[in-house]
Amino acid sequence: MPRPAFANWLSETNNVTQIFLAAGQIPGLINMAGGLPDPSTWPIAELSTMAARAIADHPQDALAYVPIEGLPELRDAIAARFSAPNLNLCRDNVLITTGGIQALDLIGKVLLEEGGLIAAQTPAYLGALDAWRPRRPSYRPMHLHANDFDPEAALQSAQFAYAVPNFSNPTGQLVGVEDRIALVAAAYATETWLIEDDPYGTLYYDAAPLPRMLTMSGRNEPIYTGPVIYLGTLSKELAPGFRVGWVIAAPEMIRALVAAKQGSDMCTSGLCQRIAQDAFASGLTDRILPNILTLYRDRRDALCQAMTTHLSDFFDWQVPSGGMFVWATARDPGLNTDHLLAQAMKHGVCITPSSVFDPEGRNRSSIRINFTLNGPEKLNEGVIRLAAALTTLTNAA
C-alpha cells in the first residue's frame, strides 16, 4: 500500500536556498549567492563574555523556557530603540522571534487564508515567498519605482502588503520618502496591514538613513495601534546564528502572532535573547557598525568595478547605496539565468537567478550578486568565473 502523498505545495518550491547555503561546503567555490555577512565582523570575544555572563547571572532566562512574547527586558529595549516623538511603543508592541524568517511565517499563519491575495514589492524576497508558499497565495506585484504606481489600488482587497524599503532583497533598491509616505497613507485609507521588512536598515553606505514607515505611521497615540508591521533582526548587525528577530506592531497583531508562535517553537532561545539585550545595552551593535559599513562599502565598490570590467557586455545594473546585493539584468532578454546558475556552478561560482524572486517564476533574465561575504580579490575572481560561464553558455546557444 503506498504511503500518503506529500502536501501539494512541496511540488512548487525550489532548491536555490539549499544550493547557496551548501555552497560554502564545496571546496574552491566562490559563493556570491546568499545574503551572508562576513564572519570577520562578529565580535567573538565580547559575545563569548556575554554568553558566559548570561548563563552565570541569569540561568533561568538563559537555560529554561521563557515567555512566548520574549524576555520583557529585551522587548522594553526594542520598544525604546524604535520609539519616536510621534510613535509611542511599549513591550505590548513587541514580539521576539526566532529570526526574521519566523516573523514572516507567523504573519502568513495569522493573516493568510488559502489562496489569499498579497500585494508584494516586486521582485520579492525569496524567504517571504517560501514562508507563505504552503498557503498558495496569489500576488499583486507592486512596482514601487514605476511612475504610474497607485498605492491605494495596489493595497485594496489584499490580505496584507509586503515591502522591503531599505535596499530591497533582491534588487538593492531604496524606496524614497515620498513613496514611503504614500504606502503608509494607503495602508490607513484601505485598512490594510503593511509589512515593513527591514533587515538591512543599518547598512547605509552613502547617505543618512531614511525614516522608517513605522515611524511615519505614528500618530502620537498613547500606544501605537497603526497598520505597519515592522520586522527587524540581529542577523545583519550582529550575527545571524543568534536567530533573534522582532516584530513591532499594534498590540492586537502581537497577540495574534503570539498565538501562532505558541504552536511553532514555543519560545525563542532565552540565552540568545539575553546576549541580544546585553549587546544593545552595552552599545556593542553601535560600536561595531562603522567598521561593518566601511568593509561592505569597499566590497560593493570592488564588485561593481569588477562587473564593469568583465560583465558590462552582458548585463546592466545600478550601484546600490546600501544593503548586500547588486541586481543585474541581462542585455539579451533571451538569456536564461536559471541555466546560467548551472553553468556558473561548473565554473566555481554561485549566484542567484531572478526566477526565484518572481512568484510566477517568469523573470529569468536577471541575477542577484552578494558582495558582503567575500573580499575584493575573491569578488573579482568570482566575476571572472561568471563571465567565463556566460561565454560558455552563449557560445553553446
Side-chain angles (χ1 to χ4, degrees):
M1 180 180 295
R3 294 188 177 98
F6 291 116
N8 289 334
W9 71 268
L10 283 168
S11 65
E12 302 168 3
T13 190
N14 66 80
N15 65 346
V16 169
T17 301
Q18 291 175 319
I19 289 173
F20 68 66
L21 288 178
Q25 307 302 315
I26 301 175
L29 184 138
I30 299 175
N31 184 5
M32 301 197 300
L36 304 177
D38 186 330
S40 71
T41 64
W42 304 339
I44 295 173
E46 288 178 272
L47 292 175
S48 298
T49 299
M50 289 178 179
R53 185 162 58 234
I55 294 173
D57 295 349
H58 304 279
Q60 190 69 24
D61 287 348
L63 302 177
Y65 294 117
V66 295
I68 299 171
E69 299 91 330
L71 293 176
E73 296 90 342
L74 180 57
R75 294 164 65 208
D76 289 343
I78 290 172
R81 188 186 196 201
F82 289 91
S83 288
N86 66 318
L87 181 69
N88 298 311
L89 301 172
C90 67
R91 69 176 61 164
D92 291 338
N93 293 114
V94 180
L95 168 67
I96 306 301
T97 60
T98 303
I101 195 72
Q102 185 187 53
L104 295 169
D105 177 64
L106 298 179
I107 286 166
K109 288 180 177 178
V110 304
L111 290 181
L112 257 185
E113 300 293 350
E114 182 81 12
L117 175 65
I118 300 172
Q121 182 179 2
T122 303
Y125 170 45
L126 169 60
L129 299 180
D130 283 344
W132 301 325
R133 200 180 307 275
R135 284 166 175 74
R136 309 181 84 172
S138 60
Y139 286 88
R140 177 183 292 148
M142 294 198 301
H143 300 282
L144 300 183
H145 293 82
N147 292 330
D148 59 351
F149 175 63
D150 183 342
E152 282 199 31
L155 271 61
Q156 194 69 50
S157 75
Q159 294 194 286
F160 59 84
Y162 175 71
V164 186
N166 287 323
F167 318 115
S168 168
N169 183 351
T171 65
Q173 288 184 314
L174 181 66
V175 176
V177 171
E178 291 186 3
D179 289 327
R180 296 179 189 220
I181 292 173
L183 280 170
V184 171
Y188 271 111
T190 62
E191 298 186 346
T192 303
W193 294 107
L194 173 60
I195 300 171
E196 179 178 15
D197 195 0
D198 193 25
Y200 315 106
T202 59
L203 301 182
Y204 276 79
Y205 306 134
D206 299 327
L210 298 183
R212 304 178 185 93
M213 292 193 295
L214 173 69
T215 307
M216 292 176 169
S217 70
R219 293 188 169 180
N220 203 26
E221 305 166 282
I223 180 172
Y224 178 70
T225 62
V228 173
I229 305 171
Y230 180 88
L231 312 185
T233 176
L234 277 181
S235 292
K236 308 304 186 288
E237 60 178 307
L238 192 59
F242 284 114
R243 311 310 302 137
V244 171
W246 51 85
V247 180
I248 301 174
E252 63 182 293
M253 174 56 65
I254 296 300
R255 289 193 293 270
L257 295 172
V258 168
K261 183 175 170 66
Q262 177 176 322
S264 177
D265 66 351
M266 193 176 300
C267 64
T268 297
S269 163
L271 173 60
C272 293
Q273 290 189 60
R274 269 290 166 191
I275 296 170
Q277 182 186 343
D278 201 352
F280 286 142
S282 67
L284 176 61
T285 52
D286 294 330
R287 290 198 303 275
I288 67 175
L289 180 59
N291 288 335
I292 293 175
L293 297 182
T294 297
L295 183 73
Y296 290 171
R297 183 187 300 111
D298 290 345
R299 292 183 175 186
R300 175 204 61 183
D301 294 344
L303 172 62
C304 290
Q305 181 57 55
M307 292 175 67
T308 298
T309 302
H310 301 289
L311 296 180
S312 55
D313 290 341
F314 298 100
F315 286 99
D316 293 314
W317 64 89
Q318 293 182 336
V319 179
S321 59
M324 302 180 109
F325 307 107
V326 172
W327 181 255
T329 298
R331 293 189 169 188
D332 176 5
L335 177 65
N336 187 317
T337 53
D338 285 352
H339 297 164
L340 176 58
L341 170 60
Q343 192 61 241
M345 294 290 286
K346 295 178 182 178
H347 282 75
V349 62
C350 185
I351 46 85
T352 311
S354 54
S355 61
V356 300
F357 304 107
D358 178 355
E360 298 181 339
R362 295 177 180 176
N363 183 348
R364 298 177 184 270
S365 61
S366 298
I367 57 174
R368 186 192 72 178
I369 307 177
N370 168 262
F371 55 80
T372 55
L373 177 63
N374 299 294
E377 291 185 4
K378 189 171 283 190
L379 288 169
N380 186 67
E381 175 60 25
V383 170
I384 291 173
R385 295 182 187 184
L386 182 59
L390 280 159
T391 300
T392 299
L393 187 62
T394 55
N395 286 343

